[in-house]
Amino acid sequence: YSYSVTNPDLELLHYTTHLFSSDAPKNTSLSFFPSGSMMEGRPVTLTCSTDAKPAVLNFTWYKETGSQLELLQTGFTHTYVVSNPTHSTRYRCTAQNQHGQHNATIELDAQFAPKISSSCNKSSVITCVCEAHGNPSPKLEWRRSGNVLTNSTTTFIRNETLGSTSSKSILTIHQPLTDTDVLQCFSANTLGTASASQQFHPVTRTSGTETQEGIPNLQEPDKTTHLDSYCLK
């Protein structure tokens, strides 16, 4: 507030008194740089902003995993660098002075090209399973020797969504494949593509027992890998 007093010489003297309040931090918020879409593997700087009087004594940074907190950094620094941001990872900043503390959290949503895995097995029919993980969520399709497969009398495809960043496709083929046929699972989002291929070669074991199918999982993003597998003639 302010007030004035008039002295005997009719001079006006002004007096101003400033009132100060002491509070715990409030209006705490988190931001990141560079702003906009973030990419997996590209560092991001988090900045913790708050209103505090007196000033903040320390900022403490945590990584949240469910209900667990992992201490990352504490001190006067109001920034923290995430060297390899990933999808759906939450970070917390706690601003503290001698009157209390206040928290803010942020969830990083890093984008990345598809990562793919595929496997096949054979009994009376050929069944292949392909899963892709990416952000944005990737699309999946099957190709046979370069031609896109769709549902038909001999081919059945079932697609599933596995959360916000994963998808799954199951291919069933009710017809024999030749040794020149190549089955390919192809995945794509706005950041890239990935594929995994299976080529079937008929072989005969000398033991006289029936040939069994055994194809390992593939995890080869952004390129096609051909693996031999074994089917009945």
Side-chain angles (χ1 to χ4, degrees), residues 114-212:
K115 301 173 184 178
I116 198 170
S117 64
S118 177
S119 64
C120 292
N121 64 73
K122 183 180 183 299
S123 54
S124 59
V125 297
I126 296 174
T127 302
C128 296
V129 179
C130 185
E131 293 188 16
H133 181 57
N135 187 24
S137 183
K139 295 182 179 180
L140 284 171
E141 70 177 22
W142 291 96
R143 299 174 183 178
R144 178 178 177 180
S145 299
N147 299 313
V148 177
L149 292 175
T150 58
N151 283 313
S152 66
T153 56
T154 59
T155 303
F156 178 71
I157 299 172
R158 185 175 84 245
N159 295 319
E160 301 176 8
T161 300
L162 307 175
S164 61
T165 61
S166 298
S167 54
K168 177 181 179 180
S169 185
I170 302 173
L171 169 68
T172 304
I173 299 179
H174 297 269
Q175 69 180 73
L177 298 179
T178 69
D179 58 355
T180 60
D181 280 325
V182 177
L183 287 180
Q184 181 186 49
C185 175
F186 184 83
S187 176
N189 65 10
T190 57
L191 299 177
T193 63
S195 64
S197 297
Q198 319 274 346
Q199 186 167 6
F200 295 84
H201 295 294
V203 298
T204 302
R205 290 183 180 174
T206 57
S207 63
T209 60
E210 285 190 338
T211 304
Q212 300 295 322

Side-chain angles (χ1 to χ4, degrees), residues 57-104:
L57 293 175
N58 63 72
F59 294 90
T60 304
W61 293 89
Y62 301 93
K63 180 179 179 180
E64 295 185 3
T65 304
S67 59
Q68 303 297 316
L69 292 178
E70 177 187 349
L71 177 63
L72 300 174
Q73 175 180 292
T74 187
F76 191 67
T77 304
H78 71 292
T79 60
Y80 178 78
V81 177
V82 181
S83 58
N84 185 20
T86 56
H87 172 70
S88 285
T89 305
R90 293 178 64 87
Y91 292 87
R92 176 188 296 189
C93 167
T94 299
Q96 183 177 19
N97 66 9
Q98 55 263 54
H99 296 289
Q101 64 183 33
H102 195 229
N103 302 323

Side-chain angles (χ1 to χ4, degrees), residues 3-15:
Y3 64 92
S4 61
V5 176
T6 305
N7 67 9
D9 297 327
L10 300 180
E11 292 180 352
L12 189 64
L13 303 178
H14 296 277
Y15 299 88

Side-chain angles (χ1 to χ4, degrees), residues 197-201 203 213-216 225-230:
S197 297
Q198 319 274 346
Q199 186 167 6
F200 295 84
H201 295 294
V203 298
E213 180 88 10
I215 306 174
T225 300
H226 295 271
L227 292 187
D228 290 348
S229 57
Y230 302 96

